[in-house]
Amino acid sequence: MDNLSETPDPLRVNAKEALRAAAKSQLEDVLEDCFSSDYLLRHSESEFSSENVSFLLVLRDLFAAKEMGGAAAESRIAQRACKEHVQPGSTLEVPLPPALRDRILAWYKQVREEAELPTPTPLWAEAHKICFRNVKFDVYPRFKTAKTAEECF
């Protein structure tokens, strides 16, 4: 019996290890991993601040489609990003500078009126940088200390 009471609780040990792993983790790694990014998204939804995380995940798919050379998929994902995250009043609207938002929306308007236009990758990269910074210094630090992170890591 005495040996059992001296044995560390595996759940407590794992929780401590999870917190250490969370402290060492980088946002880039979490966003690249589908499992971890799902936990981050769920955490941000619980805080009613999921728009930036959701946008980063859509851009992850957009950049992956670009690397794979799927122009049609890339355009479709970019249009979805405009509709869900860039258009004023959209449910997951992200805070972008007006000039950047206007340039992205001008592309979106053209691509809806005309057929094929190349996806404006530099604009998306700039939008990614802004939203990444928002998540890195706002949502992600709280995620790392939340119960959700213990489950994730």
Side-chain angles (χ1 to χ4, degrees):
M1 264 314 182
D2 289 336
N3 289 341
L4 290 177
S5 62
E6 294 174 14
T7 306
D9 181 1
L11 294 177
R12 291 191 187 276
V13 171
N14 290 338
K16 289 177 184 177
E17 289 176 17
L19 288 173
R20 275 195 292 275
K24 292 179 186 177
S25 73
Q26 297 294 317
L27 178 57
E28 296 88 344
D29 300 329
V30 171
L31 291 171
E32 286 178 15
D33 180 62
C34 290
F35 179 79
S36 300
S37 62
D38 184 55
Y39 269 85
L40 176 60
L41 181 60
R42 284 194 284 151
H43 170 75
S44 66
E45 287 170 346
S46 73
E47 292 189 333
F48 303 102
S49 60
S50 63
E51 63 281 346
N52 286 307
V53 174
S54 177
F55 185 60
L56 290 176
L57 297 177
V58 170
L59 291 183
R60 175 190 68 188
D61 296 343
L62 174 68
F63 297 144
K66 182 161 189 67
E67 285 181 21
M68 294 173 57
E74 180 184 349
S75 179
R76 191 172 55 254
I77 294 168
Q79 289 180 52
R80 186 179 109 212
C82 284
K83 183 179 178 184
E84 295 176 358
H85 297 282
V86 180
Q87 279 189 329
S90 59
T91 56
L92 293 171
E93 181 182 357
V94 292
L96 295 175
L100 176 59
R101 178 181 308 280
D102 292 346
R103 290 184 297 173
I104 292 173
L105 290 175
W107 170 84
Y108 183 50
K109 182 180 177 187
Q110 282 183 325
V111 85
R112 285 187 310 168
E113 292 173 355
E114 301 168 15
E116 292 293 316
L117 285 175
T119 304
T121 305
L123 297 180
W124 292 116
E126 189 176 341
H128 180 274
K129 182 177 168 183
I130 291 166
C131 288
F132 183 86
R133 188 174 39 237
N134 288 343
V135 172
K136 183 174 184 176
F137 295 109
D138 182 30
V139 176
Y140 191 62
R142 290 191 309 272
F143 169 70
K144 287 174 38 171
T145 60
K147 190 79 169 166
T148 315
E150 286 182 35
E151 295 172 12
C152 177
F153 299 107

